[in-house]
């Protein structure tokens, strides 16, 4: 059974269509890379999967259960974790409290289990030196780490990562790719939207290219990158490349 | 954890000493000063409640006078119509305010931010108009507590003032203690998260609407009890005095803002500053209000977190800590820090 199954997903804001009968099946423990130009509907796809936005038509099911129309708080408890492209920290709370609230609510953990879990995740994501800092004062990269950490304390089975590698140094990028690989080895299904393609290709089992609410190409990273449609959309017209 | 326990015990002793000291004030103060004490406690209560609503839940209400007024009138009804003892009458005021809040909530919670604030104002105006047009509760002329019933609280004036002072103190303790326990619970975390980032709060599993409605109702109930206290302290209310935007909401907001919004200590500091200014500037007439306004603007410009916020930023001191410091749990040394990864 597919971990995530989208069938005929449609969503439009007025004349702008961000999902046009999109269907997709993601097996368990796969790392699916999602590429596409700005405004292609990648983040909106995440918003629909995570319940932040409801689709106009179509169904979403997770592990065989129809989750279409469920609010994000329910999906968070059903094992969907996500990061936002523009980080959304709880600015007035400390880094630790940001994680704690996620562990207590979406993670459903008791007080002491939650503290332990948060401590472990902070170590793993290299934020332990900032635990008692106010999240609103963090620099962008640490905010992104915080987004990832906050998703991880809920023990997600399906993890949606929205552009978390942008702006990283090469060393940090290598470290991030290794970390995501480890999460995947632990059995987490990962959907990763990323413009930093070399990072994505390192870890993605499969890549889809999205444009104007449709899936243009679907396959291995090499096949998708080689596809004529993708090159045209991504890099400009084929003539310009020639 | 032993440190935590020690801190809790010493904190409890300190609070107990402070409460005993305040509670014994009526034995040493003149009646007029007990009255002032009650007035201080009433505004402190309103400020703590508004702080909970706006400072922690991010629900900026400018219509809390609706619950003050309804609480006061319901307390009057319970006292005069049904002859209840005064403390049960205050509880009836609380109940009435809670019922009114649950009637208004479905409409108010369709609104957000500034429109929510306007909605609460409309709520207060509607409540005022309904009471002012109900002849059974005196209409625009208002109502008084008959001397006979006032004497039932205590036979002499000093005894009555003391009884009301202690009731106000008890309400203050209930408000302070429940705010503290709330903020120390996971719901306190949820409230702060909601205020900071509603979308992400939902994404981490918080039912933001449920939390917001619950806090709104709880604050309304306690605000209704304060309304009952106001009736007992004044013995005479009119729609304009019981539903006064100025007395019960504008001053309250001033107190919370200068003291430090979103901090439990803020309303306490703010109340102290407000009454000190009032006593010092009592002879200046309207100049007093101008000075309050200038002070409010100055605090917002130069110390946007209020006086207590500024103190906290400089000294990292908190009298009523409700944050969750990571250091209070033992960090296990066997958790390895993946330093080798960063050095690649």
């Amino acid at each position: 059974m597919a971990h995530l199954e989208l069938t005929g997903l449609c969503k439009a804001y007025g004349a702008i269509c961000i999902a046009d009968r999109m269907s997709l099946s993601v097996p368990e423990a796969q790392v699916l890379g999602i590429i596409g130009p700005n405004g292609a509907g990648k983040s909106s796809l995440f918003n629909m999967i995570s319940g932040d936005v409801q689709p106009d038509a179509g169904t979403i099911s997770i592990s065989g259960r129809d989750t279409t129309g469920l609010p994000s708080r329910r999906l968070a408890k059903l094992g969907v974790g996500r990061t936002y492209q523009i980080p959304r920290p709880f600015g007035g709370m400390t880094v630790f409290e940001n994680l704690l609230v996620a562990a207590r609510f979406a993670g459903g953990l008791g007080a002491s289990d939650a503290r332990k879990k948060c401590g472990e995740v902070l170590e793993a994501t290299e934020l332990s030196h900032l635990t008692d800092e106010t999240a609103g004062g963090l620099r962008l990269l640490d905010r992104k780490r915080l987004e990832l950490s906050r998703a991880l304390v809920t023990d997600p089975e399906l993890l949606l990562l929205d552009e978390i590698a942008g702006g990283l140094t090469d060393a940090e990028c290598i470290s991030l790719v290794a970390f995501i690989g480890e999460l995947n080895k632990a059995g987490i299904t990962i959907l990763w939207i990323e413009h930093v393609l070399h990072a994505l290709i390192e870890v993605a089992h499969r890549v889809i290219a999205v444009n104007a609410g449709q899936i243009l190409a679907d396959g291995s990273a090499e096949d998708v990158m080689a596809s004529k449609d993708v090159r045209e959309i991504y890099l400009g017209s084929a003539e310009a490349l020639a | 954890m032993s440190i935590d326990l020690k801190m809790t015990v010493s904190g409890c002793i300190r609070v107990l000493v402070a409460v005993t000291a305040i509670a014994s004030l009526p034995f040493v103060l003149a009646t007029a000063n007990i009255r002032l004490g009650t007035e201080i406690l009433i505004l402190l209560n309103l400020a703590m409640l508004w702080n909970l609503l706006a400072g922690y839940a991010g629900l900026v209400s400018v219509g809390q006078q609706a619950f003050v007024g309804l609480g006061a009138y319901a307390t009057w009804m319970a006292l005069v119509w049904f002859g209840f003892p005064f403390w049960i009458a205050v509880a009836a005021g609380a109940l009435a305010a809670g019922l009114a809040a649950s009637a208004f909530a479905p409409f108010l919670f369709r609104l957000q931010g500034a429109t929510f604030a306007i909605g609460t104002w409309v709520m207060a105006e509607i409540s005022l108009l309904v009471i002012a047009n109900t002849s059974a509760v005196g209409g625009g002329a208002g109502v008084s507590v008959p001397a006979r019933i006032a004497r039932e609280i205590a036979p002499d004036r000093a005894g009555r003032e003391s009884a009301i002072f202690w009731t106000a103190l008890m309400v203050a303790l209930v408000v302070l203690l429940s705010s503290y326990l709330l903020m120390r619970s996971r719901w306190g975390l949820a409230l702060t998260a909601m205020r900071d980032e509603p979308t992400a709060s939902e994404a981490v599993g918080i039912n933001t609407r449920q939390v917001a409605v619950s806090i709104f109702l709880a604050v309304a109930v306690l605000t209704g009890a304060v309304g009952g206290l106001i009736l007992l302290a004044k013995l005479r209310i009119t729609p304009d005095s019981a539903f006064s935007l100025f007395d019960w909401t504008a001053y309250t907001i001033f107190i919370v803002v200068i003291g430090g919004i979103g901090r439990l200590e803020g309303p306490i500091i703010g109340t102290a500053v407000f009454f000190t200014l009032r006593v010092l500037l009592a002879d200046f007439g309207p100049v007093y209000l101008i000075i309050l306004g200038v002070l409010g603007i100055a605090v917002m410009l130069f110390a946007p977190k209020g006086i207590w916020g500024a103190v906290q930023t400089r000294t990292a001191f908190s009298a009523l800590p409700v944050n969750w410091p990571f250091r209070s749990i033992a960090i296990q040394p066997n958790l390895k820090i993946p330093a080798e990864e960063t050095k690649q």
Side-chain angles (χ1 to χ4, degrees), chain A residues 52 71-74 76-77 80 82 84 88-94 96-98 100-102 104-107 115-116 118-120 122-124 126 128 131-132 145 150 154 171 174-175 178-179 182, chain B residues 1 4 184-209 211 322-329 331-332 335-339 341-344:
Chain A
D52 286 28
S72 59
R73 60 172 185 275
R74 293 282 309 280
K77 286 175 186 163
V80 179
R82 74 164 294 179
Y84 288 93
R88 293 178 178 270
F90 303 126
M93 301 166 85
T94 66
F96 179 61
E97 288 167 341
N98 265 264
L100 195 59
V101 67
R104 297 291 314 256
F105 283 86
R115 281 171 170 249
K116 219 173 117 195
C118 294
E120 286 167 11
L122 285 169
E123 289 287 342
E126 297 168 27
S128 0
T131 42
D132 289 334
R145 278 195 185 149
R150 199 171 62 189
T154 67
I174 291 168
S175 157
F179 186 64
E182 269 171 44
Chain B
M1 291 309 266
D4 266 4
R184 288 294 300 157
S185 77
R186 69 189 189 117
W187 298 105
L189 280 174
L191 277 178
T192 321
M194 261 170 63
R195 179 197 60 192
D196 287 354
E197 238 302 336
T199 308
S201 303
E202 285 275 331
V204 298
I206 299 166
N207 188 339
T208 53
R209 192 186 154 91
V211 175
V322 291
N323 55 332
W324 302 73
F326 181 65
R327 60 180 176 276
S328 69
I329 64 163
I331 299 169
Q332 285 149 7
L335 278 170
K336 67 172 174 65
I337 299 163
E341 280 181 17
T342 51
K343 290 196 182 108
Q344 276 178 21

Side-chain angles (χ1 to χ4, degrees), chain A residues 56-191:
Chain A
D56 296 336
T59 60
I60 301 166
S61 65
I62 293 171
S63 302
R65 177 183 171 162
D66 185 1
T67 61
T68 323
L70 289 185
S72 59
R73 60 172 185 275
R74 293 282 309 280
L75 285 154
K77 286 175 186 163
L78 290 172
V80 179
R82 74 164 294 179
T83 71
Y84 288 93
Q85 184 183 354
I86 297 159
R88 293 178 178 270
F90 303 126
M93 301 166 85
T94 66
V95 168
F96 179 61
E97 288 167 341
N98 265 264
L99 268 60
L100 195 59
V101 67
R104 297 291 314 256
F105 283 86
L109 295 176
S112 65
D113 286 347
R115 281 171 170 249
K116 219 173 117 195
K117 180 82 194 171
C118 294
E120 286 167 11
V121 169
L122 285 169
E123 289 287 342
T125 54
E126 297 168 27
L127 272 176
S128 0
H129 60 296
L130 295 173
T131 42
D132 289 334
E133 295 294 316
T134 308
L138 296 184
R139 59 197 184 113
L140 180 65
L141 293 185
D142 289 328
R143 283 172 184 236
K144 288 192 173 189
R145 278 195 185 149
L146 178 59
E147 284 282 306
L148 178 60
S149 313
R150 199 171 62 189
L152 289 177
V153 292
T154 67
D155 260 331
E157 288 160 6
L158 178 65
L159 184 60
L160 311 175
L161 304 175
D162 198 346
E163 291 190 30
I164 57 167
L168 295 183
T169 64
D170 283 349
E172 287 168 328
C173 211
I174 291 168
S175 157
L176 177 71
V177 164
F179 186 64
I180 290 173
E182 269 171 44
L183 292 176
N184 177 241
K185 267 191 217 115
I188 304 178
T189 308
I190 298 171
L191 272 63

Side-chain angles (χ1 to χ4, degrees), chain B residues 34 52 145 236 273 275 303:
Chain B
I34 303 174
L52 207 54
V145 176
R236 160 154 191 81
V273 172
F275 278 93

Side-chain angles (χ1 to χ4, degrees), chain B residues 13-40:
Chain B
I13 291 171
R14 263 182 292 167
V15 169
L16 215 64
V17 169
V19 169
T20 316
I22 297 170
S24 51
L25 282 179
F27 297 114
V28 292
L29 290 180
T31 311
N33 290 333
I34 303 174
R35 249 188 111 68
L36 177 66
T38 305
E39 216 183 318
I40 293 174

